[in-house]
Amino acid sequence: MIQEILVGVTVLAAVGYLVKKFFFKKNSSNSCGSGSCGCG
Amino acid sequence: MGKQINVALVGNPNTGKTSVFNQLTGLTQKIGNYPGITVEKKEGVTKISRILTAHILDLPGTYSLNASSLDENIVIELLLNKNHKDYPDVVVVVSDIENLKRNLLLFTQIKDLGIPTILAINMADRMERKGIELDIPQMEEQLKTKIALVSARKKTGFDELKKHIKNYSLLPTTPCCNVSSIDKSYFDKLQQTYPEQERYKLWLLITHDANFGELDRKTIASRNGLPQKTKDEIKKLQHKEVVARYQFINGMLKACFKQDLNLAKGMRAQLDKVLTHPVWGYLVFFVILLLIFQAIYDWSTIPMDWIDEGFAYLGQWVKLNLPAGMFTNLLAEGVVPGIGGIVIFIPQIAMLFLFISILEETGYMSRVVFLMDKSMRKFGLSGKSVIPLVSGTACAIPAVMAARNIENWKERLITILVVPFTTCSARLPVYLIIISLVIPDEHLLGIISYQALALMAMYIIGFGAAIAAAWIANKSLRVGTRSSFVIEMPDYKLPIFKNVGLTVVDKTKAFVVGAGKIILSISIILWVLASFGPSDTFGNARKNVQAEMASTDPMPQGVDMEQRIASYKLKHSYMGIMGRGIEPAVTPLGYDWKIGIALISSFAAREVFVGTLATIYSVGSDNQITIKERLAGEKNTATGKPLFTLASGISLLLFYAFAMQCMSTLAIVKRETNSWKWPLLQLFLMTGFAYLTALIAYQLLNL
């Protein structure tokens, strides 16, 4: 049972991390020059 | 309690700014990225006196405050924004003794911002050898600053530099060069409109796209009473400003700088003659590339094998020593191999950056750029793109990271986007097994193996695709980038090994920390997809296989039985269901659902393809001959004909040549571009193109 819970937590953490990375971006200042220059 | 001040290190590229930074901060430095962008931020702390410490920020190299690149904008952003937490109490402009004239342009611009500014003249140990004499007191008077002659190599002059930093509040903040004379009435009007602001700061705000806090470029330019300037007029004024500054610098250097020109030239000129020669230059570069390639492709495999074996042992150990169960399986089959899949790249990354760093440190990289730039530029690439493109044949991950050396954002982006086309070593096992299946083991003219020719063709196709994709990207990408092309030829130097070591450590850490977490997360999810399935089939795998095998005589036992169960489980796992789900899409390419599963699982890493096929066909993955024999005898379930024919084999080779089948590369592209847009674009465009070419190849060859 503990093993199943640990798997669930690990998988949730992995999915959560990817979702956070994918969908929640840090706001970056848009003052680094013209055009799309890598400022996200 | 002690006081801490902010010190910004600013300077042109190749002035040894980072060496000065390393010397000041030692091991206290930490390296990250500027928020939201992929430019490295280096900072550290140094003790100036008993009660004063300095937080040192090593800003990206810039030629002037007329920004044309992402790196240069960072310098301007910081120096113009007093509310920035890192806004410097004092700026140290690092210059190189042999390029003082060019370096001082930046110094005079920063001085005009009203920030206390110190001039650190680096490489002072070369003065005597190069026949240079400086009148420091007169220079200090004309530049209205304090000057420290330092040598990062000999570790001299740093006490003097620290003394100047300590007394920063005594430094005059008046401009050393009055540039408002280029359009006096306009600058006067500007100052009248904003009497509380530095005149030169207002000018920089008008000439840049950036906005800073309450001061907005548009509101400054449109404020009542201020004459409006067109873009052309602003550009002309910028040129006038540079000319005015150089006039001042020339006058100052005429009085303070003396050089014996006979001593100035020497070995450098002789070396340049060879290294930038249209024939010898390429030959030397080719030999160096061969060495790098050998190091990444061959020498790195020794520690990589150790890592591979170490993690295999660890996985086994976990399985044997931890209580049996689902979590132990996840650790042994998902987490440990996942971490192993990250760590295994460390030798290649470290080796590549060891070479790149040495080439940069010695000054040779600038010669490479000079040599290659003209031909690479036709395809939207830079001379520096050669290193990533070549190292991409070992692994795309260090290659994408190596693109950081390219200053121009568009050229860097194009390089990052096309590098995964080059044939990386992970494709090799896939190519080897498919080529051995579909290309006859015969020889052209009795000498050249057709299989070797096919393998070489795959390398040429990969490189050709990268160059063609770069050309298309250059024509179609609308990435705003202003670039003034400057090739600087720094003097040849022996590398400072502390700098080389720090670069290798930084880059390796950046990969492990940045991309590693994404790779590990995806590994865990892939493990779940391959380890679970619907209970009626997956859950009853043993019972179902035994029932299927009941009529077989003799009934498989032991390892053979276990392999059949593993194969059945994979087929009925969620990943297997996905593989069967995509069968209608892969059938036109000549594949069946089993190859579909291998395609999905090899998204983790291409080489997984062979291992997955081994599991599906119930054979040990180490035994390639057995896999080959099994694959050769395999029939297409739809047509009943052999699965691996010339048509399906070529189709599969082309698919692997072009498809973006590598989550680690996607993760590192995300990290390097700071956006999911580019890796997703790569994933869909490359995989779409791979699908199309594989489809056309199969349909044409199958006629």
Side-chain angles (χ1 to χ4, degrees):
Chain A
M1 186 62 184
I2 293 171
Q3 294 238 357
E4 277 82 352
I5 292 169
L6 286 171
V7 168
V9 170
T10 312
V11 174
L12 274 179
V15 174
Y17 176 74
L18 288 176
V19 168
K20 193 183 133 221
K21 272 264 168 197
F22 208 134
F23 295 107
F24 300 98
K25 282 179 65 174
K26 274 184 208 161
N27 284 330
S28 61
S29 86
N30 193 25
S31 54
C32 57
S34 58
S36 165
C37 55
C39 310
Chain B
M1 199 177 137
K3 183 186 167 191
Q4 180 163 301
I5 57 166
N6 281 333
V7 178
L9 282 189
V10 187
N12 290 185
N14 296 313
T15 52
K17 184 169 60 63
T18 301
S19 305
V20 171
F21 171 77
N22 289 340
Q23 207 52 53
L24 283 171
T25 58
L27 293 173
T28 69
Q29 59 181 264
K30 54 178 191 187
I31 291 155
N33 273 359
Y34 284 92
I37 46 173
T38 54
V39 173
E40 267 172 12
K41 182 183 184 183
K42 289 186 168 189
E43 52 193 330
V45 175
T46 190
K47 197 166 180 178
I48 300 294
S49 71
R50 205 167 49 82
I51 52 160
L52 185 69
T53 53
H55 166 250
I56 315 255
L57 188 60
D58 181 16
L59 287 166
T62 178
Y63 287 101
S64 70
L65 291 186
N66 306 325
S68 63
S69 74
L70 184 56
D71 293 15
E72 288 172 338
N73 273 304
I74 285 166
V75 179
I76 297 169
E77 265 197 58
L78 179 70
L79 297 182
L80 295 193
N81 188 357
K82 280 187 178 165
N83 297 322
H84 197 294
K85 72 174 177 57
D86 292 327
Y87 183 78
D89 296 288
V90 55
V91 175
V92 176
V93 177
V94 181
S95 67
D96 156 17
I97 185 73
E98 289 183 72
N99 292 297
L100 260 184
K101 183 175 163 183
R102 197 193 57 225
N103 297 167
L104 284 172
L105 173 73
L106 179 67
F107 174 86
T108 62
Q109 287 183 315
I110 294 173
K111 191 80 176 60
D112 281 10
L113 292 174
I115 308 170
T117 308
I118 297 165
L119 180 64
I121 302 178
N122 191 19
M123 305 179 203
D125 55 303
R126 303 164 76 93
M127 281 174 72
E128 198 179 337
R129 193 146 47 93
K130 296 286 173 180
I132 296 171
E133 282 175 40
L134 284 179
D135 184 345
I136 298 290
Q138 199 181 339
M139 270 183 89
E140 286 184 335
E141 196 184 319
Q142 291 208 34
L143 294 174
K144 296 180 181 164
T145 188
K146 284 287 172 192
I147 296 175
L149 283 172
V150 299
S151 165
R153 184 178 303 276
K154 303 271 180 193
K155 300 175 187 170
T156 57
F158 286 89
D159 289 341
E160 196 188 3
L161 178 59
K162 284 184 179 178
K163 193 179 87 190
H164 294 328
I165 293 174
K166 184 181 156 196
N167 299 325
Y168 76 96
S169 57
L170 304 175
L171 291 167
T173 52
T174 46
C176 59
C177 162
N178 181 16
V179 289
S180 57
S181 59
I182 58 174
D183 190 341
K184 196 167 180 316
S185 63
Y186 181 75
F187 276 85
D188 286 348
K189 196 86 187 161
L190 196 61
Q191 189 73 83
Q192 281 164 23
T193 319
Y194 291 93
E196 74 286 3
Q197 293 290 345
E198 291 290 338
R199 194 183 290 215
Y200 190 59
K201 177 178 174 179
L202 291 167
W203 171 240
L204 282 181
L205 287 173
I206 287 173
T207 55
H208 288 81
D209 292 336
N211 301 320
F212 300 94
E214 290 171 9
L215 275 177
D216 180 293
R217 171 177 174 246
K218 288 188 183 111
T219 56
I220 294 173
S222 62
R223 171 93 42 123
N224 283 345
L226 193 66
Q228 296 290 304
K229 295 273 182 203
T230 64
K231 272 190 173 173
D232 280 348
E233 285 171 329
I234 286 178
K235 203 151 244 172
K236 273 182 194 160
L237 277 180
Q238 277 184 305
H239 289 153
K240 276 186 170 182
E241 180 207 326
V242 173
V243 171
R245 288 187 188 281
Y246 272 124
Q247 280 172 345
F248 164 76
I249 294 165
N250 282 339
M252 189 273 299
L253 287 178
K254 209 170 173 184
C256 311
F257 181 92
K258 302 265 179 297
Q259 183 166 25
D260 181 344
L261 288 175
N262 291 328
L263 290 172
K265 292 176 185 171
M267 199 176 75
R268 172 186 165 147
Q270 298 293 324
L271 272 174
D272 271 347
K273 238 185 223 174
V274 177
L275 297 180
T276 58
H277 189 271
V279 177
W280 300 117
Y282 283 103
L283 200 69
V284 172
F285 182 48
F286 179 74
V287 171
I288 291 173
L289 275 186
L290 204 66
L291 185 74
I292 298 177
F293 194 55
Q294 175 76 9
I296 299 170
Y297 206 69
D298 198 19
W299 302 342
S300 298
T301 54
I302 300 165
M304 284 172 89
D305 286 346
W306 293 340
I307 294 169
D308 204 18
E309 282 167 23
F311 275 90
Y313 174 79
L314 185 64
Q316 204 62 21
W317 186 91
V318 167
K319 205 149 200 179
L320 293 174
N321 290 281
L322 294 188
M326 200 189 277
F327 187 63
T328 302
N329 288 345
L330 169 62
L331 286 180
E333 296 162 9
V335 176
V336 172
I339 296 172
I342 301 158
V343 177
I344 201 161
F345 291 117
I346 289 177
Q348 284 186 331
I349 290 172
M351 200 66 93
L352 175 64
F353 282 102
L354 176 77
F355 278 98
I356 289 183
S357 179
I358 291 173
L359 296 186
E360 290 269 10
E361 283 268 321
T362 51
Y364 178 67
M365 190 65 97
S366 305
R367 275 76 187 176
V368 173
V369 176
F370 175 79
L371 205 62
M372 301 300 296
D373 210 80
K374 204 174 164 191
S375 45
M376 298 302 274
R377 211 158 271 275
K378 287 177 195 158
F379 303 102
L381 298 166
S382 144
K384 287 187 179 178
S385 304
V386 174
I387 301 284
L389 285 175
V390 171
S391 46
T393 52
C395 177
I397 292 155
V400 167
M401 289 172 74
R404 273 200 176 196
N405 285 17
I406 302 165
E407 292 86 2
N408 181 288
W409 170 245
K410 188 176 178 183
E411 289 165 358
R412 182 177 157 197
L413 180 64
I414 293 176
T415 307
I416 290 172
L417 292 179
V418 305
V419 150
F421 276 118
T422 52
T423 303
C424 67
S425 56
R427 284 179 172 104
L428 207 54
V430 183
Y431 287 173
L432 289 176
I433 198 150
I434 298 171
I435 287 173
S436 69
L437 272 173
V438 301
I439 306 290
D441 187 13
E442 291 166 13
H443 292 78
L444 178 68
L445 306 170
I447 311 167
I448 306 165
S449 155
Y450 283 113
Q451 292 187 345
L453 279 177
L455 188 63
M456 196 177 84
M458 295 314 296
Y459 274 85
I460 293 170
I461 285 171
F463 191 73
I467 294 292
W471 186 81
I472 293 167
N474 186 37
K475 295 282 172 205
S476 52
L477 274 180
R478 292 278 169 267
V479 177
T481 176
R482 286 178 287 168
S483 172
S484 49
F485 182 55
V486 181
I487 295 183
E488 187 183 353
M489 297 287 194
D491 221 345
Y492 294 103
K493 297 181 281 284
L494 276 175
I496 299 177
F497 287 99
K498 186 177 178 181
N499 292 349
V500 174
L502 283 171
T503 305
V504 171
V505 172
D506 295 345
K507 300 287 178 187
T508 312
K509 216 164 78 181
F511 167 70
V512 173
V513 176
K517 285 184 272 188
I518 298 175
I519 298 170
L520 183 60
S521 303
I522 296 178
S523 301
I524 291 169
I525 292 166
L526 283 178
W527 175 84
V528 170
L529 291 175
S531 307
F532 294 93
S535 56
D536 56 328
T537 48
F538 189 90
N540 296 319
R542 184 169 294 275
K543 211 166 75 185
N544 293 351
V545 173
Q546 281 170 345
E548 273 177 25
M549 294 288 124
S551 56
T552 316
D553 188 32
M555 192 166 156
Q557 299 292 330
V559 176
D560 191 16
M561 190 62 179
E562 290 308 314
Q563 280 170 351
R564 280 175 196 276
I565 293 168
S567 170
Y568 182 91
K569 275 187 163 180
L570 188 58
K571 180 181 175 182
H572 294 93
S573 66
Y574 291 118
M575 192 183 279
I577 293 167
M578 285 164 74
R580 284 181 286 154
I582 65 163
E583 194 170 19
V586 296
T587 303
L589 311 183
Y591 318 152
D592 65 357
W593 65 267
K594 295 174 184 176
I595 297 179
I597 293 180
L599 288 182
I600 293 171
S601 67
S602 66
F603 177 68
R606 292 180 178 95
E607 64 269 36
V608 172
F609 179 81
V610 180
T612 308
L613 284 183
T615 310
I616 299 171
Y617 291 113
S618 315
V619 289
S621 59
D622 293 339
N623 195 342
Q624 285 204 359
I625 294 171
T626 319
I627 297 172
K628 193 182 146 189
E629 284 168 359
R630 287 297 298 263
L631 293 181
E634 192 63 20
K635 299 272 190 269
N636 189 320
T637 43
T639 61
K641 291 179 181 169
L643 182 63
F644 287 96
T645 58
L646 182 69
S648 65
I650 297 288
S651 162
L652 203 50
L653 284 173
L654 288 174
F655 186 85
Y656 269 92
F658 300 133
M660 184 52 153
Q661 287 281 94
C662 180
M663 66 168 180
S664 311
T665 307
L666 288 171
I668 202 73
V669 170
K670 192 265 161 193
R671 189 183 179 280
E672 292 299 300
T673 59
N674 196 39
S675 162
W676 279 106
K677 181 171 115 186
W678 301 113
L680 287 177
L681 195 78
Q682 266 181 322
L683 176 66
F684 289 111
L685 285 184
M686 286 180 69
T687 311
F689 180 64
Y691 185 87
L692 208 64
T693 45
L695 177 73
I696 293 169
Y698 179 72
Q699 296 299 335
L700 284 178
L701 292 168
N702 214 27
L703 284 176

